[in-house]
Amino acid sequence: MNKSKKYTFIIVLYLILYFIISLNYLEIFPFVHSDEPWLSGLTRNMMENGSIFATETFFDLFPRFPHCIKVLFHLIQMPFILIFGYDIFSVRLISLIFGTISLLLFYKICCKLFGNYLYSILITVLLSFNIQFIYASHFARQEIIIVFVLMLGFYYYLSRSRGGNTHIFLGLIIGLSVGIHPNSFVVAIVFGLLYVIDIIYKHKKVRNLLILIGTTGLTALIFVILSFIGDADFISHYTSFGESLGVSSSIIDKILTMPNYYMNLFNGISGTYYTPPIKVYLNVFGIVFLISIVYLIISRLIKKVIDDDCLPDNLMILKLLICIVGINIGFIIIGRYNQTNVVFVFPFFYLLVFALFSNIINYSKKFMIIFMVILIGFSFYLTFEECSVYGRYDYNDYLDELEIIPQGVKTLGNLNMEFYFENGMLLDYRNLTYLEENNMSFEDYINHNNIEYIVFMEELDYIHRNSGWSILYGEDYYYDDMKRFIEENCRLVHEFRDSLYGIRISRYMMDYEWGVWIYRVEK
């Protein structure tokens, strides 16, 4: 067995063990967010209707229109739901698989950049223990698949940078990722900027960039055409939804929002998403980013030759910086500063840290190994401490509390409990803010939908007292009407408390036992 195959066997063995161990914590960490049943619930409805143009059953008044911008993600979820059943494990399993494959691709990238198999294994292990990476690979959203796309594209870019079909293949990768999530635009920016750098250094030609753009655009156009088939007013509806998320703000406003985005990540401030403790990482990344820029400027001033024949080198440091800058430019243009998106920069920062380290410091092999082992131990400790907090909480225990509600009956409740219900049996709170524009009272809504159970969460009382949180479910002008209806027309059948799933506001989780009351509508 040659050296390459030997170390490939070692990393594959490690990743298999990593995958198996991670399975045990898949349902525990992070806590289940309502986005996960939102996405999987839509997938289930597509399956039951046999149509990719189906919309969410838990929204009736809340405006929803069919589109295919995420259709590949739903198609990926379908066989997992079919084989493993409709639960949080089956849909999170997809993320773990893509996360594990991303680590293998990351190892391959390290081998190309650093030319040392042992270092590449150690850097990959270090990334695998990163809390943000684990979070993404345990979360049933699309971020980790976008990371996979970035790693696949970057590995192919490094391997076949001068190949004739590289531009078409990369264009297909980027274009197909539109079917995963609109964040595919970030991927397009990254590789577009890499091509611009290659054109500047005469490693590629303008026509190569045009081929990349053309292939990406034509592939992405497939999903746009499909969206128009499902909704003739796709553009206006999708734009309207984007405006509700703030993506229509001016470019200046978007740029000014970015420092606040990273400051919130630094301080662990979030609305409903889990925000892992990444202060240490952001500090290191910020320092390394600035040092890298200064290093490249000084190298240029002293006329140090930039050549890509030996990696990692100055040009590769520049390219890694460009990848990180490109991702952030993508954030700015999209204007959707979601806390989960920050994972996109982590693999590139890990590469940048060690590329810079390799370039400016003379070190012995023994020192480098000891240094990386210490970092791995430190990272493992931080991650284990954080994940262990969630060990005493079980999402399935939360769902078990709902067993008083018979299957097959309509229920008004929180979307985070959707995995308990049959398709079409749960209606989410978000619909209620649209009662007025539909000329309905709360009682009309209950009767119109034949709702037999209402799950009322203490969180709604808190939001009513603190209107700043009305962004979660919309303005609650119906609140008094709802309380009156429950008092006059409902019977309490079960109540319980849950400090984690009893509220969606992350800062108040695990600090107080939030009440949940289940009422039967007496007709």
Side-chain angles (χ1 to χ4, degrees), residues 155-171 195 198 203-205 207-209 211-212:
Y155 173 67
Y156 193 79
Y157 168 83
L158 294 176
S159 304
R160 305 285 293 277
S161 61
R162 293 184 177 86
N165 296 322
T166 302
H167 327 299
I168 294 175
F169 183 78
L170 281 177
Y195 268 56
D198 283 336
H203 298 150
K204 284 186 174 65
K205 299 178 180 179
R207 71 166 178 268
N208 301 144
L209 177 59
I211 291 171
L212 178 73

Side-chain angles (χ1 to χ4, degrees), residues 432-463:
L432 302 179
T433 196
Y434 296 94
L435 288 174
E436 191 173 80
E437 66 182 68
N438 284 275
N439 298 314
M440 299 177 74
S441 67
F442 183 81
E443 183 174 1
D444 292 336
Y445 185 75
I446 298 298
N447 293 332
H448 176 75
N449 288 289
N450 296 312
I451 292 172
E452 297 184 40
Y453 285 84
I454 298 173
V455 182
F456 186 90
M457 306 183 78
E458 188 177 358
E459 173 192 46
L460 297 178
D461 290 331
Y462 177 83
I463 292 173

Side-chain angles (χ1 to χ4, degrees), residues 280-343:
V280 173
Y281 299 106
L282 292 180
N283 277 325
V284 172
F285 293 166
I287 293 169
V288 168
F289 186 82
L290 292 175
I291 292 175
S292 299
I293 294 173
V294 172
Y295 172 73
L296 289 178
I297 292 172
I298 292 174
S299 298
R300 195 64 175 169
L301 289 175
I302 62 175
K303 302 184 183 302
K304 186 173 180 179
V305 176
I306 295 183
D307 186 4
D308 66 340
D309 291 333
C310 178
L311 300 175
D313 63 359
N314 290 11
L315 183 55
M316 186 47 62
I317 289 174
L318 175 62
K319 288 182 176 181
L320 292 172
L321 281 171
I322 287 296
C323 290
I324 294 165
V325 170
I327 290 169
N328 283 279
I329 290 174
F331 290 167
I332 291 171
I333 295 174
I334 295 171
R336 181 81 170 103
Y337 290 105
N338 195 302
Q339 290 90 341
T340 55
N341 292 347
V342 73
V343 71

Side-chain angles (χ1 to χ4, degrees), residues 372-485:
M372 283 200 266
V373 169
I374 292 172
L375 288 179
I376 289 170
F378 180 65
S379 184
F380 175 80
Y381 171 76
L382 291 178
T383 298
F384 180 79
E385 284 286 297
E386 179 67 15
C387 293
S388 61
V389 173
Y390 294 87
R392 59 181 181 271
Y393 299 97
D394 191 331
Y395 177 67
N396 291 313
D397 290 342
Y398 172 66
L399 297 185
D400 289 344
E401 295 284 357
L402 304 177
E403 288 184 349
I404 190 70
I405 303 173
Q407 290 293 336
V409 300
K410 281 285 188 71
T411 301
L412 175 65
N414 196 314
L415 186 53
N416 71 357
M417 55 184 67
E418 210 267 341
F419 283 109
Y420 172 78
F421 294 94
E422 294 177 357
N423 190 41
M425 291 298 107
L426 176 69
L427 287 167
D428 182 61
Y429 298 143
R430 291 172 180 83
N431 294 302
L432 302 179
T433 196
Y434 296 94
L435 288 174
E436 191 173 80
E437 66 182 68
N438 284 275
N439 298 314
M440 299 177 74
S441 67
F442 183 81
E443 183 174 1
D444 292 336
Y445 185 75
I446 298 298
N447 293 332
H448 176 75
N449 288 289
N450 296 312
I451 292 172
E452 297 184 40
Y453 285 84
I454 298 173
V455 182
F456 186 90
M457 306 183 78
E458 188 177 358
E459 173 192 46
L460 297 178
D461 290 331
Y462 177 83
I463 292 173
H464 185 67
R465 296 192 304 269
N466 300 270
S467 59
W469 287 106
S470 63
I471 55 172
L472 295 189
Y473 307 114
E475 293 295 330
D476 66 346
Y477 55 81
Y478 56 84
Y479 177 83
D480 292 334
D481 194 20
M482 174 175 60
K483 295 284 280 190
R484 188 183 310 111
F485 178 86

Side-chain angles (χ1 to χ4, degrees), residues 68 72 167-179 211-226:
C68 293
L72 280 185
H167 327 299
I168 294 175
F169 183 78
L170 281 177
L172 288 172
I173 292 174
I174 300 166
L176 287 173
S177 66
V178 172
I211 291 171
L212 178 73
I213 294 172
T215 307
T216 299
L218 288 173
T219 308
L221 187 61
I222 295 171
F223 302 104
V224 175
I225 292 171
L226 286 173

